[in-house]
Amino acid sequence: MTDPARLADPALHAEEDPHAVWRWMRRHSPVHRHEATDLPAFWSLTRYEDVRAAYRDPKVFSSARGVLLRPAKLGEDPGAGMTLALTDPPRHKDLRAVVAGLFTTRAVRQLEEYMRTAVRAILAEVAELERFDFVHDVVGRLSMYTIGHIMGVPAEDHESLYRWTNEAFEAGVSLAAHQELMRYFIDLMYARMAAPADDVVSLLAGDTVEGELLPEEEILLNCENLVGATENGRLALAGGMGAFLEHPGEWERLRADRDLLPSAVEEILRWTSSAVHSMRSVTEPVVIGGRRIEAGEWVVLWVPSANRDEEVFPDADRFDIGRTPNRHLALGGGEHFCLGSVLARAQARILFTELLDAPRRVEQTGPAARVHSIAVGGPETLPVRFA
């Protein structure tokens, strides 16, 4: 038997194949109870339809107490009820409305030239190197420069923002505890209170939710939340490059037919599923797959498993850039559908277009290392060069 308990072990996700566990669970125990360890007890959902249904019912499956598994001794998430990720309707909808205008299709279209210029500058810089890390040197910078631009961080501070966030993630601590980063956002918050601009920090500092200005703590936590969310984006982009390197025939297929780019982006999102899990707290008793889950219990939605469900995705373990339909859940669903979904797709489209147009192809120079985490998944390093 494949042991479902191993899903809580970061080593499984970094060094082995969690899909073997999820495959067994979808077949034999799709709604599975895990007893408490250092983590609280929780239920696993591994089938597509169950995961989608939970995403679409925030009344029963609440995000307000936390959305990621964390050791029981740490208690509930300190940002509970205060950030976009950790609120339920109606507050979630009102908070989302404050910044949503900067992430619409129209707004992202206006950002495309900025992103294209950033990609070209980044690729020109690494092209001079004998080898480079695609994660840190390319997609990490692209993701952070873009969100920094949207948030109102001046271009001259983008590299500092990138360095601070990398240090915070690598140290395994909350961004809120990173003094330099939070001091920077405190200063930026006060600057935007005095002189608002067309950016996220200005909107968070100046708009109202339920008739009141947001407390400073909530403004800063939402800044942290948005900056931290770039990790999913860079892992998806890096994972997409990794997939093309592992499946060179699909890269040649895309090179021969650029009309496949939109479906290729969707397949990259499905294939990488960089947000490995999302957790919910059940607010009232509910029966899923014949199992009764009581109010107050935790339910974990395993997104990569849902996106490889054989009942929904034929030949699910094949990377197929022409896959259609492709109704993946990589960007969440329901009220919590990813705020940056349009931005994520545009970044992928621009990056891979520029790589297709590059005079030299990307070649892997050594083994990739995967992120040691149960929260996010993808390459931690991907050593490459321009051949």
Side-chain angles (χ1 to χ4, degrees):
M1 170 182 166
T2 303
D3 185 5
R6 296 208 58 211
L7 285 178
D9 180 3
L12 172 69
H13 300 265
E15 301 163 15
E16 300 179 51
D17 179 19
H19 285 286
V21 180
W22 287 317
R23 196 176 300 117
W24 184 92
M25 292 176 71
R26 288 195 300 270
R27 196 169 299 135
H28 301 286
S29 187
V31 183
H32 185 89
R33 179 174 172 81
H34 303 254
E35 299 302 332
T37 55
D38 59 325
L39 299 172
F42 64 94
W43 292 85
S44 277
L45 302 186
T46 51
R47 287 182 177 171
Y48 179 93
E49 293 298 344
D50 293 335
V51 170
R52 185 176 67 164
Y55 269 135
R56 292 184 171 186
D57 190 355
K59 181 176 181 295
V60 175
F61 298 93
S62 170
S63 302
R65 291 172 56 201
V67 296
L68 293 176
L69 278 167
R70 49 193 275 125
K73 67 181 181 181
L74 297 180
E76 294 183 8
D77 196 302
M82 292 190 283
T83 69
L84 273 169
L86 303 176
T87 47
D88 293 325
R91 185 170 180 80
H92 173 82
K93 183 177 181 180
D94 292 342
L95 187 57
R96 188 182 180 104
V98 171
V99 296
L102 295 179
F103 295 91
T104 62
T105 300
R106 180 180 179 182
V108 170
R109 191 175 296 122
Q110 293 173 344
L111 275 172
E112 287 189 1
E113 191 54 39
Y114 171 86
M115 289 189 285
R116 189 173 292 107
T117 299
V119 169
R120 288 174 179 172
I122 291 167
L123 293 181
E125 183 176 340
V126 297
E128 301 300 316
L129 304 175
E130 184 176 343
R131 59 178 54 85
F132 55 94
D133 180 3
F134 196 82
V135 181
H136 292 278
D137 296 327
V138 179
V139 294
R141 283 191 161 81
L142 172 61
S143 296
M144 192 55 64
Y145 292 178
T146 303
I147 195 64
H149 181 77
I150 295 171
M151 294 182 75
V153 175
E156 60 267 24
D157 294 337
H158 286 179
E159 191 61 28
S160 295
L161 182 68
Y162 183 51
R163 186 179 72 254
W164 291 330
T165 53
N166 276 338
E167 290 172 359
F169 282 124
E170 288 170 4
V173 299
S174 166
L175 290 178
H178 196 297
Q179 295 182 1
E180 287 181 290
L181 179 66
M182 297 318 294
R183 189 182 302 118
Y184 182 88
F185 276 119
I186 288 170
D187 291 343
L188 185 60
M189 174 180 68
Y190 288 139
R192 291 299 185 264
M193 286 177 176
D198 185 21
D199 57 51
V200 165
V201 177
S202 295
L203 293 173
L204 288 171
D207 214 335
T208 59
V209 176
E210 298 174 341
E212 297 183 358
L213 290 169
L214 289 174
E216 292 180 4
E217 180 185 16
E218 292 193 29
I219 295 170
L220 294 172
L221 283 170
N222 277 287
C223 289
E224 172 193 47
N225 186 227
L226 287 167
V227 169
T230 63
E231 188 174 25
N232 285 333
R234 74 176 179 179
L235 289 171
L237 292 172
M241 188 72 255
F244 280 124
L245 291 169
E246 291 176 17
H247 305 87
E250 292 301 283
W251 182 253
E252 294 306 319
R253 184 182 175 195
L254 181 59
R255 184 186 293 278
D257 184 0
R258 297 289 184 93
D259 289 341
L260 286 171
L261 189 57
S263 62
V265 169
E266 298 307 314
E267 182 68 344
I268 287 168
L269 292 170
R270 182 194 76 91
W271 185 258
T272 58
S273 293
S274 59
V276 174
H277 82 263
S278 190
M279 188 172 67
R280 298 293 186 267
S281 173
V282 174
T283 61
E284 61 187 59
V286 62
V287 176
I288 309 174
R291 306 298 298 272
R292 179 181 171 89
I293 302 175
E294 300 296 341
E297 292 193 289
W298 297 107
V299 171
V300 170
L301 321 179
W302 295 105
V303 179
S305 177
N307 284 340
R308 298 281 185 99
D309 190 335
E310 304 84 352
E311 297 297 317
V312 178
F313 301 98
D315 205 3
D317 291 325
R318 179 187 169 206
F319 180 64
D320 175 9
I321 65 166
R323 184 181 297 275
T324 183
N326 194 347
R327 298 184 295 273
H328 61 78
L329 300 174
L331 299 172
E335 296 281 347
H336 282 269
F337 187 73
C338 177
L339 176 68
S341 60
V342 176
L343 180 65
R345 288 174 167 124
Q347 277 189 333
R349 177 169 44 79
I350 290 168
L351 173 64
F352 289 108
T353 295
E354 293 300 319
L355 288 170
L356 286 166
D357 289 341
R360 294 184 288 166
R361 62 184 174 84
V362 175
E363 180 181 84
Q364 194 163 341
T365 60
R370 292 185 61 80
V371 174
H372 201 266
S373 171
I374 65 171
V376 294
E380 183 173 26
T381 61
L382 180 59
V384 297
R385 67 179 180 182
F386 275 116

